[in-house]
Amino acid sequence: MLNTSNLDAAEARLGAAYAAEKHLHRHGGSLCDLLDALDDPSGFAALCNMHGVFGQPIPDVDAVEAALRDIHRVLADQRPSSLDRTGHERGLPVSDMMQWHGARVSELLARFRHAE
């Protein structure tokens, strides 16, 4: 017998992964610039890993969620004073980028949580 609640959850998680892919296509360049400016190799690696997952016909939803969690952690670990300094050094609105990307990554992660 097919368990439709498990199927619904799997479908919702796949939808969350596709939402992340759509977001990456639209805003990945800006997120890449931000993670590069923050100079945290783990965040940049997570973004690269997530990008690689989307090269597959069906993305590994667990890998997408893990990458988003890693990126979220890197963004959450930043101190406002270091953001101001980094923004000045790089000529980027790093604080604004942090707020915007932090909110979007949180929203994408919430889609995974609601799928469970």
Side-chain angles (χ1 to χ4, degrees):
M1 176 173 233
L2 184 63
N3 186 337
T4 58
S5 63
N6 286 346
L7 187 59
D8 290 343
E11 186 176 328
R13 287 180 55 75
L14 187 59
Y18 284 128
E21 180 180 29
K22 183 178 178 182
H23 177 79
L24 186 62
H25 281 294
R26 287 187 174 168
H27 307 288
S30 175
L31 181 57
C32 181
D33 290 343
L34 174 61
L35 292 170
D36 182 52
L38 297 178
D39 201 29
D40 184 322
S42 65
F44 196 77
L47 180 63
C48 291
N49 290 341
M50 186 168 53
H51 183 72
V53 167
F54 293 128
Q56 305 302 314
I58 298 176
D60 178 345
V61 295
D62 292 332
V64 173
E65 183 180 15
L68 287 171
R69 285 189 192 286
D70 288 344
I71 292 167
H72 186 266
R73 180 193 46 76
V74 167
L75 297 178
D77 286 349
Q78 302 304 309
R79 293 182 306 199
S81 60
S82 66
L83 294 176
D84 292 338
R85 184 182 67 250
T86 301
H88 180 70
E89 290 170 356
R90 297 280 185 123
L92 291 171
V94 174
S95 293
D96 293 340
M97 293 169 76
M98 276 288 302
Q99 288 181 332
W100 192 86
H101 283 292
R104 300 300 80 77
V105 169
S106 293
E107 290 169 356
L108 291 167
L109 280 171
R111 291 187 67 158
F112 282 94
R113 285 192 297 274
H114 293 298
E116 295 174 347

